[in-house]
Amino acid sequence: MDILVLLGCLFALFAIGMPIAYSLGLAAIVGAMWINVPLEAVMLKIADGVSKVAMLTIPFFVLAGAIMAEGGMAKRLVAFANVLVGVVRVRGGLSAVNIVATTFLSGISGSSVADVSAIGSVMIPQMEKVGYPRAFATNVTISASVQAIVVPPSHNAVIYSLATGGLISITSLFMAGIVPGLLLGASLIALVIFIGYRDGHPRGESVPLRAAMKITFDAMWGLITILIIIGGILGGIFTAIEAGAVACLWAFFVTMFIYRDYRWRDLPALVHRTVKTVAMVMTLIACASAFGYVMALMQVPAKITAFFLTLSHNKELILLLINIMLLVLGCLMDLAPLLLICTPILLPVVSTFGVDPVHFGMIMLLNLGIGLLTPPVGATLFVGCAVGKVSMQEVMKGIWPFYGVMLAVLMLVTYVPSISLWLPRMLGM
Amino acid sequence: MTGGIGMSLLYRKAMDALYLACIIIAGTALVLISAVIPWAVYTRYVINRAASWPEPTAVLLTIVLTFFGAAACYRLGLHMNVTLAVGLLPKAWRRASDIFVELLMAAIALFMAVKGTGLVAATWANTISDFPSLSVGVTYLPIPLGGVILLLFVIEHLTIGPPPDTADGHETAAFE
């Protein structure tokens, strides 16, 4: 009955269109009243939710990503990726350039939507100009952007870490995301090259050495951000929070003083946009903290675990069921709230089956990342259609091979734990 | 009638000013957060005497950023929500649902204002170890203040409607 009251109230609030963050808060209040928990405890949990040091990572990485993505980094990364891919001159070369550039930007922005806006606005017109269908170029861009959900500094990896109650370090998740992200990128490159040869897409063009050197030098300033984040954390120089803060300063320095693509008078608007994003996410985390507290008091995770055990004792089957459930939920809701709601419920279930929490984090991130490309609630899909100036119907017609590859990678990440765990274990995490 | 319109305009202007104040406060908090943590790195590696205050300061600023920023986001309808079911309703039902949501938002705003004030009062005598002169209650002040501001924005939505520049999520920096 407790579960019914708590989750029933939550889903009813979702259904009437109440903001997700406040739905979580209100459901927590109703749940607390139902089990006679003082409302002061709910208030305290909301306050505690935003008083964690780990939360500081969010404003830094959102701000650094926004500065880099909006400040002319994308066109330099595209040029650099063109240098790298141009060496092999394969058919579908520009598609591969798109994916490689997105891989680099993902390592800076941590956001799939930012990648699509930044890379898409450069790559989609460029691809169309040489003969690629616009919808195909959009599909390449949005599919590649899912890498940003798993590779460091993934904003959603930070959310997952917070959703585990700090059980899993952000650093472990950042390191665990590198191989799955690169695997996804490589698989998508294989797909676009296959489609390139099948459909006769144009070959990539090599860049003359002198120009290549200039482009590489130009892009290096931005790529140093990746070095600051990954190298700084791995080298023990910075914590994840400090890496975010230094990356933020570096992004500001490169954009304003080296690239000079961003005007000083645009900065207040950038801060304004970042404030709104950060406040939205923080509110979500604060209210989810109270909801998680009431859920724990009602022993919801334990009851859900018991329910899953009645279904099967087979780990592989349970992981498949969870994947299917998350794929469906990912079609209906945004990524961050799903991470905050589902992690405390599902992590105890998979832990019973011996699944590593870091590994499960990668499964959730990749799975829900695919959800960003599915209608009716796919933020990346919407932004991709807007940037690519194509209808959703056109994009959906050609997206199936990309879904296929992403699902294949999801299955690999699900059933081969070492893809996620090899790097963190090698680094002693 | 004219008096009613005049009052509406006055209330709208007051809410515009309040929104701007929220954004300036939250924006200043964001800029300060971005400055104090690099300062901690600087003191550790350059001066060789690590400062302990930047981290708790940044956490306190995060509370400010969250609760003032959240109220501002609500005014512009930026918080994530599930529109799938509501979108299927007839127009009249959708309007009724919107009003019901606003009333529930008023309830949660009141909860923040009342219970937040309680939290501030209960912790007022306690101090933070890194800042002995600062009361814990002060650090929680953004919660009731954010609740009151949220309530004022809900009243604006209910009486004169959302502001004309209410936008979709594309006006924000990317997160997902």
Side-chain angles (χ1 to χ4, degrees):
Chain A
M1 190 62 188
D2 294 350
I3 296 182
L4 207 66
V5 169
L6 188 71
L7 297 183
C9 177
L10 183 70
F11 292 128
L13 292 169
F14 284 173
I16 59 170
M18 185 150 174
I20 294 170
Y22 295 108
S23 299
L24 286 163
L26 204 53
I29 292 169
V30 172
M33 287 164 77
W34 178 259
I35 55 170
N36 295 320
V37 170
L39 293 184
E40 284 73 13
V42 176
M43 185 75 260
L44 196 60
K45 280 291 158 188
I46 290 177
D48 278 353
V50 282
S51 309
K52 292 178 186 130
V53 175
M55 295 273 289
L56 292 172
T57 330
I58 293 170
F60 292 138
F61 284 126
V62 174
L63 188 56
I67 295 171
M68 277 297 187
E70 294 180 30
M73 185 70 233
K75 64 182 179 195
R76 289 173 175 87
L77 290 179
V78 166
F80 180 57
N82 202 22
V83 169
L84 298 179
V85 177
V87 176
V88 283
R89 298 199 69 243
V90 286
R91 283 202 182 277
L94 268 189
S95 303
V97 168
N98 188 330
I99 296 165
V100 174
T102 305
T103 308
F104 288 131
L105 192 62
S106 295
I108 295 169
S109 75
S111 153
S112 152
V113 170
D115 283 8
V116 169
S117 308
I119 299 286
S121 56
V122 180
M123 279 308 301
I124 297 172
Q126 207 172 316
M127 288 173 75
E128 192 188 24
K129 205 170 153 188
V130 296
Y132 288 86
R134 211 171 171 81
F136 176 79
T138 306
N139 274 327
V140 174
T141 310
I142 60 175
S143 307
S145 75
V146 176
Q147 293 174 93
I149 304 297
V150 282
V151 301
S154 161
H155 302 160
N156 289 291
V158 178
I159 299 277
Y160 176 79
S161 168
L162 290 166
T164 63
L167 178 74
I168 306 302
S169 77
I170 296 168
T171 308
S172 303
L173 287 165
F174 276 3
M175 293 309 125
I178 294 176
V179 178
L182 293 177
L183 176 67
L184 177 64
S187 308
L188 288 170
I189 289 175
L191 174 71
V192 294
I193 290 174
F194 169 75
I195 296 175
Y197 277 93
R198 190 193 66 188
D199 297 352
H201 288 165
R203 285 184 184 277
E205 286 182 10
S206 56
V207 180
L209 187 65
R210 190 180 288 265
M213 283 172 69
K214 188 185 174 307
I215 289 167
T216 306
F217 181 75
D218 213 18
M220 278 308 147
W221 293 102
L223 291 173
I224 287 174
T225 318
I226 302 177
L227 196 70
I228 290 172
I229 296 167
I230 300 179
I233 296 172
L234 275 185
I237 304 166
F238 305 132
T239 61
I241 298 158
E242 289 168 347
V246 176
C248 208
L249 275 189
W250 178 254
F252 177 76
F253 170 73
V254 171
T255 305
M256 302 311 289
F257 297 104
I258 309 269
Y259 292 160
R260 296 186 197 173
D261 281 339
Y262 213 73
R263 291 170 301 184
W264 285 89
R265 66 168 182 268
D266 293 334
L267 278 179
L270 180 87
V271 171
H272 187 183
R273 281 198 295 279
T274 308
V275 160
K276 288 190 278 191
T277 301
V278 172
M280 259 183 340
V281 175
M282 296 291 206
T283 314
L284 198 59
I285 294 168
C287 293
S289 167
F291 184 79
Y293 167 70
V294 175
M295 215 163 50
L297 289 179
M298 289 180 169
Q299 296 180 316
V300 175
K303 287 170 186 167
I304 302 247
T305 304
F307 167 73
F308 269 94
L309 286 171
T310 61
L311 293 178
S312 171
H313 281 79
N314 183 324
K315 178 174 131 183
E316 279 71 29
L317 184 64
I318 292 295
L319 282 174
L320 184 68
L321 287 175
I322 288 175
N323 264 318
I324 293 169
M325 187 181 82
L326 290 176
L327 283 168
V328 173
L329 288 173
C331 295
L332 305 173
M333 264 179 77
D334 289 297
L335 204 167
L338 275 176
L339 277 176
L340 288 164
I341 296 167
C342 295
T343 304
I345 296 175
L346 296 176
L347 191 57
V349 177
V350 296
S351 296
T352 313
F353 290 94
V355 175
D356 189 286
V358 173
H359 173 211
F360 186 61
M362 288 305 117
I363 297 172
M364 282 193 87
L365 289 170
L366 191 53
N367 186 311
L368 297 175
I370 297 170
L372 291 175
L373 308 187
T374 53
V377 188
T380 306
L381 176 67
F382 292 152
V383 175
C385 291
V387 171
K389 296 186 180 73
V390 281
S391 70
M392 200 186 292
Q393 286 79 0
E394 283 175 273
V395 168
M396 290 311 295
K397 264 186 225 164
I399 205 168
W400 299 101
F402 295 91
Y403 280 158
V405 165
M406 285 187 282
L407 288 175
V409 173
L410 174 63
M411 287 302 111
L412 278 173
V413 169
T414 302
Y415 294 115
V416 187
S418 54
I419 292 174
S420 310
L421 301 177
W422 170 74
L423 191 57
R425 278 184 185 160
M426 202 183 74
L427 296 167
M429 289 171 183
Chain B
M1 187 70 180
T2 319
I5 294 171
M7 279 298 286
S8 299
L9 274 175
L10 194 66
Y11 193 71
R12 178 76 85 205
K13 275 190 180 166
M15 290 305 102
D16 284 344
L18 189 58
Y19 171 81
L20 189 65
C22 284
I23 290 296
I24 290 172
I25 293 168
T28 308
L30 176 68
V31 172
L32 289 175
I33 292 168
S34 311
V36 295
I37 297 292
W39 178 256
V41 177
Y42 175 79
T43 56
R44 191 165 76 229
Y45 287 110
V46 182
I47 305 177
N48 231 359
R49 200 184 321 148
S52 62
W53 60 267
E55 217 166 69
T57 305
V59 172
L60 300 184
L61 289 167
T62 307
I63 301 176
V64 175
L65 164 63
T66 303
F67 290 98
F68 283 96
C73 284
Y74 182 72
R75 185 175 189 240
L76 295 190
L78 292 174
H79 284 287
M80 288 180 244
N81 61 352
V82 182
T83 51
L84 204 63
V86 181
L88 299 172
L89 293 175
K91 210 173 173 184
W93 281 86
R94 212 180 307 167
R95 176 77 193 125
S97 163
D98 287 347
I99 292 172
F100 187 51
V101 167
E102 295 289 356
L103 293 174
L104 290 176
M105 284 301 301
I108 202 155
L110 273 173
F111 169 79
M112 282 169 65
V114 175
K115 294 295 174 186
T117 305
L119 186 62
V120 170
T123 54
W124 195 261
N126 306 343
T127 55
I128 300 167
S129 55
D130 290 293
F131 309 103
S133 57
L134 186 65
S135 153
V136 175
V138 173
T139 67
Y140 287 136
L141 257 181
I143 302 173
L145 288 177
V148 171
I149 296 168
L150 187 61
L151 187 61
L152 290 171
F153 288 152
V154 171
I155 293 169
E156 182 194 22
H157 281 200
L158 278 171
T159 53
I160 51 177
D165 53 348
T166 300
D168 57 25
H170 298 288
E171 290 249 330
T172 58
F175 185 80
E176 291 189 321

